């Protein structure tokens, strides 16, 4: 599974420009699903299974897009000013590298600041692509780039940009391959534009019209030196979301996930995330409402170019997802 | 038929945090059962009650929405000592929390109190200041292992204030936002009980208003009403509320005027209140009403909406105050409005030039 | 080429219509005055016409060819303004802003209040009485009042909307007026509706409540269920010089630069296929256009593209200076080029554009 993860995280696909990721996913799942389509917003929606006794129409969503930047201006000396796509913090940008969709690479640096301890604002940052004039700069206004950082395998822990949320894309791909039998009509949604406001999942969920929905996404941890206080840690298994700042998971869905994990002997953690939300919110609020929850993969340093996950958590997430989808569901 | 005061006191003694409305939904369901033709629960957890009208199909539908969910808290962490850290659900001012009795809904309900650690136990920046929510703790007084056995991350926490009656039909307690409106909606259904009306009436106790306006977004999608009215509470004049945003406690029905109030429906309700001698005030909201109407208006192809409110003091504290008279007035006005609705009124709820 | 391939022109009649639209008062939530003009203008041309629950005007012009793309084009009727919230007696009224208004631009302006356009003013304290240092501080909105005259209060009610009383004027290629955001879009859409590209089914949405959260466009798009959408709006030209003479890198758009195509704003990532199509149309037809600097802000495309199963969308704006103040400035040539670009880009649309 590591090879798949590496391929996914190293593919460039900022929000709205997920095409290359979509092609990787499509090639991976071809033959493993019953039907595939791409909707108006670029979501890849794959159906697997038909509904039998006790089955439901279930939507699962992991987003293909990653955070990135977009050029707003090229100055007379060829420096590129930019704004963000999704939640990019200036402090993770300085000295970082980006890759534009047309292949151009560049480094981010900043204007000189008033004090050595100050953090730059976004307006004070620029990308240097090695050009020396506006005319010769290979980047123009509106061009889009993703952060550039190679995949790092630390053995038990994996590090990369775009772990959020390619790790979940990998988990979903792996789960749909391992899933041999299901009573459900499953829709695996590889969604777009999550980082800019759950936009892809909003329209995909409307189209699928599910009776039950699960997002697969990353969540923060509280296990780093003087970090946020939060009872989720790497290496303790997948997290079952109870709430985040955009959604209250349906308590019946939480119960189903907890009971399934306990029955299958899969360690899990309960998650209350203060800050951020996932595709589950969009799916919960579509049409006349959908019971929704989220399986979260504990991840350190989210939205930095070095997001870290625990490989065992990842494998356990696949197991939990397979367990959840293999048997009939009764929400209670 | 339950006396509305007793019903309201029951309502505000029940938990029902956003997303966890089941306990209060069951009680409302029992109360409404004899008053309506059909009851169902939406996928999101809103309670839908239908009282059928008598005009020929396709029959116009009015949806009356009062959210039943409550603000509160949720467990985020348990310290090694067995103290409970929490986060808010809905908007809470951390300054009202210290020394507040609460109930933690773990394996069994546990009583506890919110405590602020003393200055010496907090970062120096907190000294003498209101303590931030992330530093506040719930103390159940139980041994750590007992707390760990009974409580887990994500358990809901509710205020534990008992209802209090104040002279002249005032009720005080937590969650009067918006159980007061659920009570008003109940008065409306009680008033309609033996009456016939042309329109179908959908009384909806919505879920998750305080967090996502979830019920307001989803229930109308299912019901597709001709007209939808949100019933909610609004600020009553009193300590901290002195300008145009405050209405009068026990001053009557508050009719909302703003972008989520359809002019024809507003005019009709106002004229009816005048005709029936039901006291009312007008509340203007320039942009967003902050109620389910904000969500309901833009569902599907769009729905004409209106906002009717009950004045309430000390919103989002455990000692909210409303007047039972206002609750009865709102219930009565809505019932009288429904009794007067005819199939032809559908054509009236339009825009001036159309 | 058939005559239908030449874009409609902006002439005296079109400018007169823009003047009428600009002078009309239609604060978000109370768009009656503009709606009336729109209905009057488009009624004779519409194959289907209705006003929905929120007050959106939804009008259809059927295609002349079968299998045509159903394209929604949106322009919002509403403008920023005020709502009267309290009667202070003697013709003085407290008000709050509806939509984003910089309160520093308010003192000393004339306004119109309510459906009868009652004249009023927003006054200011005489400088003689200003205290030490006071002129360096903002005059807070809470201390401003709309004054309709000692006896004028009878015609004004709490809840009435008010907006600037600016009368439109033209000075060469310069167009001055209030609410050009988005009456320029409304005027453009009316012209398109009267002279539609024949290859598409034109679903025209004149929408309400854009300035308070893109609210009208969502139900409008739901009702139309279009295959793709274009939002016509106005966007700031922030192309004034920087105080220290340095390069202006936050111009957003430039006056005279032609229609602004959006790649990204806070509400939408435009569909790349549509961005490409519009840009190519401009290049091939020799119509000047510019890319709006990606960044904040949002148009109705933000609501439209998320409706139902998704609608590939693009925003095209006429650049304008000083939006959301009493006087806005736009250029005739930018308007003409916007109309031309949109017309030609829509005329050249083929269903194949939506294939992946």
């Amino acid at each position: 599974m590591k090879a798949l993860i590496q391929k996914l995280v190293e593919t460039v696909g900022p929000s709205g420009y997920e095409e290359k990721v979509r092609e990787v996913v499509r090639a991976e799942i071809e033959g493993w699903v019953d039907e595939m389509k791409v909707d108006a917003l670029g979501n890849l929606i794959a159906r697997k299974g038909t509904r039998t006794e006790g089955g439901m129409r279930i939507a699962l969503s992991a987003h293909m897009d990653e955070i990135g930047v977009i050029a707003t201006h090229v100055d007379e000396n060829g420096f590129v000013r930019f704004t963000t796509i999704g939640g990019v913090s200036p402090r993770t940008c300085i000295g970082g590298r980006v890759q534009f969709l047309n292949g151009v690479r560049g480094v981010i640096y900043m204007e000189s600041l008033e004090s050595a301890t100050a953090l730059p604002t976004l307006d004070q940052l620029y990308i240097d692509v090695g050009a020396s004039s506006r005319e010769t700069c290979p980047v123009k206004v509106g061009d889009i780039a993703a952060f550039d950082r190679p995949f790092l395998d630390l053995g038990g822990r994996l590090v990369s940009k775009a772990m959020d949320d390619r790790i979940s894309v990998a988990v979903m791909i792996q789960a749909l391959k391992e899933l041999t039998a299901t009573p459900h009509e499953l829709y695996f949604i590889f969604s777009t534009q999550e980082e800019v406001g759950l936009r892809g999942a909003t329209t995909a969920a409307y189209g699928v019209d599910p009776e039950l929905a699960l997002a697969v996404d990353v969540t923060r941890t509280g296990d780093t030196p003087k970090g946020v206080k939060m009872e989720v840690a790497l290496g303790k298994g997948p997290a079952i979301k109870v709430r985040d700042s955009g959604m209250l998971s349906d308590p019946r869905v939480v119960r189903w996930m907890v009971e399934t994990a306990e029955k299958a002997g899969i360690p899990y953690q309960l998650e209350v995330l203060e800050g951020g939300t996932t595709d589950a919110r969009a799916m919960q609020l579509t049409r006349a409402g959908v019971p929704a929850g989220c399986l979260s993969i504990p991840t350190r340093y989210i939205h930095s170019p070095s997001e870290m996950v625990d490989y065992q958590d990842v494998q356990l997430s696949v197991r939990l997802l397979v367990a959840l989808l293999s048997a009939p569901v009764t929400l209670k | 038929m339950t006396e509305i005061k007793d019903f309201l006191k029951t309502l505000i003694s029940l938990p029902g945090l956003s997303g966890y409305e089941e306990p209060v939904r069951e009680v409302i369901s029992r109360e409404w059962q004899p008053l309506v033709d059909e009851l169902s629960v939406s996928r999101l957890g809103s309670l839908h009650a239908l009282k059928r009208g008598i005009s020929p199909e396709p029959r116009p539908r009015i949806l009356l929405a009062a959210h039943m969910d409550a603000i509160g808290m949720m467990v985020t962490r348990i310290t090694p000592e067995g103290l409970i850290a929490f986060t808010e659900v809905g908007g809470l001012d951390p300054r009202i929390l210290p020394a507040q009795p609460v109930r933690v809904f773990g394996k069994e309900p546990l009583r506890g109190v919110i405590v602020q650690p003393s200055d010496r136990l907090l970062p120096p920046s907190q000294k003498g200041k209101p303590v931030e929510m992330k530093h506040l703790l719930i103390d159940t007084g139980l041994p750590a292992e007992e707390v760990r056995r009974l409580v887990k991350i994500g358990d809901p926490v509710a205020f534990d204030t008992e209802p209090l009656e104040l002279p002249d039909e005032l009720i005080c307690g937590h969650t009067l936002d918006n159980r007061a409106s659920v009570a008003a909606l109940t008065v409306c259904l009680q008033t309609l009980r033996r009456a016939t009306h042309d329109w179908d009436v959908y009384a909806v106790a919505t879920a998750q208003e305080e967090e996502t306006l979830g019920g307001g977004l989803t229930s109308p999608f299912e019901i597709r009403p001709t007209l939808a009215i949100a019933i909610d509470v609004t600020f009553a004049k009193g300590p901290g509320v002195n300008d145009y945003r405050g209405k009068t406690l026990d001053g009557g029905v508050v009719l909302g005027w703003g972008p989520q109030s359809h002019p024809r429906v507003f005019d009709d309700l106002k004229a009816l209140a005048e005709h029936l001698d039901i006291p009312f005030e007008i509340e203007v909201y320039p942009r967003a009403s902050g109620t389910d109407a904000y969500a309901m208006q833009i569902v599907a192809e769009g729905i004409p909406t209106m906002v009717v409110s009950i004045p309430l003091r000390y919103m989002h504290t455990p000692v909210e105050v409303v007047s039972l008279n206002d609750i009865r007035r709102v219930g009565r006005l809505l019932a009288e409005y429904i009794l007067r609705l005819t199939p032809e009124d559908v054509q009236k709820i339009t825009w001036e030039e159309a | 080429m058939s005559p239908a391939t030449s874009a409609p022109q902006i002439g005296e009649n079109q400018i007169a219509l823009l003047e009428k639209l600009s002078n009309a008062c239609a604060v978000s939530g109370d768009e009656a005055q503009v709606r009336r003009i729109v209905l009057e203008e488009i009624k004779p041309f519409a194959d289907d016409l209705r006003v929905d629950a929120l007050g959106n005007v939804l009008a259809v012009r059927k295609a002349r060819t079968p299998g045509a793309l159903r394209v929604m084009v949106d322009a919002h009727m509403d403008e920023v303004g005020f709502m009267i919230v309290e009667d202070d007696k003697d013709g003085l009224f407290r008000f709050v802003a509806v939509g984003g208004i910089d309160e520093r631009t308010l003192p000393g302006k004339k306004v119109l209040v309510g459906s009868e356009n009652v004249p009023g003013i927003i006054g200011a304290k005489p400088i003689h009485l200003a205290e030490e240092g006071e002129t360096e501080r903002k005059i807070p909105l809470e201390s401003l009042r709309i004054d309709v005259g000692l006896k004028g209060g009878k015609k004004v009610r709490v809840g009435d909307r008010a907006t600037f009383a600016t009368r439109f004027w033209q000075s060469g290629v310069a167009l001055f007026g209030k609410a050009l955001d988005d009456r320029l879009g409304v005027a453009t859409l009316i012209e398109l509706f009267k002279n539609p590209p024949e290859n598409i089914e034109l679903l025209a949405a004149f929408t309400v409540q854009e300035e308070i959260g893109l609210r009208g466009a969502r139900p409008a798009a739901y009702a139309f269920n279009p295959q793709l959408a274009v939002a016509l709006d106005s966007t700031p030209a922030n192309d004034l010089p920087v105080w220290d003479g340095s390069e202006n890198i936050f111009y957003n758009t430039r006056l005279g630069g032609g229609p602004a195509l959006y790649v990204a704003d806070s509400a939408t990532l435009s569909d790349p296929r549509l961005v490409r199509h519009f840009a190519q149309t401009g290049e091939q037809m020799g119509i000047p256009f510019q890319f709006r600097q990606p960044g904040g802000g949002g148009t109705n495309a933000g609501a439209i593209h998320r409706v139902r199963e998704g609608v590939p969308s693009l925003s095209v704006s006429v650049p304008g200076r000083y939006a959301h103040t009493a006087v806005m400035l736009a250029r005739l040539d930018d308007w003409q080029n916007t109309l031309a670009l949109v017309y030609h880009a829509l005329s050249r649309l083929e269903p194949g554009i939506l294939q992946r």
Side-chain angles (χ1 to χ4, degrees), chain C residues 20-279:
Chain C
K20 200 157 112 183
L21 286 166
S22 169
N23 290 346
C25 300
V27 177
S28 310
D30 183 18
E31 295 84 357
Q33 292 182 22
V34 168
R35 187 163 46 234
R36 212 169 286 140
I37 299 170
V38 169
L39 287 170
E40 192 183 293
E41 290 289 327
I42 64 171
K43 214 168 229 164
F45 303 93
D47 294 313
D48 184 33
L49 179 64
R50 68 204 133 118
V51 176
D52 76 4
L54 278 80
N56 294 310
V57 177
L58 306 181
V60 178
R61 271 210 87 158
K62 294 219 168 84
R64 307 259 175 90
T65 50
L69 279 171
R70 286 175 298 105
V71 180
M72 172 170 170
V73 183
D74 159 281
H76 68 88
M77 299 189 288
D78 62 312
E79 66 188 285
V80 297
F82 316 102
M83 184 187 268
I84 302 289
V85 295
E86 202 166 19
D87 185 347
D88 276 4
K89 310 295 175 219
D90 297 329
L92 293 172
F93 292 89
R94 182 168 172 181
F95 63 98
V96 299
V98 176
I101 295 179
D102 184 340
E103 64 211 53
R104 293 175 301 177
T105 67
L106 296 185
K109 300 298 182 302
K110 289 194 256 181
V111 297
L112 297 170
V113 186
S115 55
E116 290 179 48
N117 294 359
V118 175
I121 49 174
I122 302 173
K125 182 174 174 178
I127 188 165
H128 318 70
L129 304 180
E131 284 166 29
E132 182 76 26
E134 192 178 331
T135 58
E136 290 156 30
R137 292 190 297 273
K138 258 205 273 211
I139 304 175
L141 190 67
E142 299 81 59
S143 74
L144 295 173
R145 292 292 179 272
I146 287 176
D147 186 345
V148 296
L150 290 169
K151 310 262 184 225
K154 284 189 288 287
K155 285 183 175 169
V156 174
R157 284 176 317 173
V158 168
D160 280 353
R161 273 81 167 194
T163 186
F164 300 111
T166 316
R167 306 293 292 176
F168 177 92
W169 78 90
Q170 185 186 359
S171 171
V173 294
L175 308 169
F176 289 90
K178 74 163 180 74
L180 295 181
D181 168 9
D182 182 30
R183 304 296 150 71
L184 277 164
V186 171
T188 308
L189 183 50
I190 290 173
E191 286 313 307
L192 269 181
F193 198 77
K194 290 178 176 173
N195 308 282
E198 296 188 352
N199 56 315
I200 58 162
E201 179 155 321
L202 179 59
L203 310 168
F206 298 89
T207 49
V208 299
Q209 300 191 24
E210 192 270 355
E211 297 288 2
I212 51 173
L214 319 180
R215 291 179 53 80
R218 176 173 144 147
Y222 189 94
F224 275 148
N225 194 12
Q227 288 169 286
L228 59 90
V230 177
L232 297 179
D233 210 326
S234 172
T235 191
N238 190 29
D239 54 345
L240 275 53
V242 182
W243 66 279
D244 62 357
S246 63
E247 187 177 345
N248 178 354
I249 61 173
F250 301 111
Y251 50 89
N252 192 53
T253 62
R254 296 190 176 96
L255 218 55
L261 303 181
Y262 290 52
V263 180
D265 62 24
S266 333
T268 319
L269 295 160
S270 297
D271 190 287
R273 297 166 296 186
L274 293 179
V275 178
R276 216 176 300 132
H277 175 73
F278 274 66

Side-chain angles (χ1 to χ4, degrees), chain A residues 40 72-73 134 197 199 206, chain C residues 222 247 249 266 293-294 306 356:
Chain A
T72 56
H73 182 68
R134 182 180 292 149
R199 295 177 193 165
Y206 186 92
Chain C
Y222 189 94
E247 187 177 345
I249 61 173
S266 333
Q293 281 190 294
R306 306 167 67 150
R356 294 230 194 235

Side-chain angles (χ1 to χ4, degrees), chain A residues 8 11-13 18-25 64 166:
Chain A
L8 283 167
T11 305
V12 177
E18 301 87 354
E19 196 172 346
K20 289 175 187 159
V21 186
R22 189 165 58 233
E23 291 325 308
V24 173
V25 176
M64 296 188 289
R166 303 284 161 70

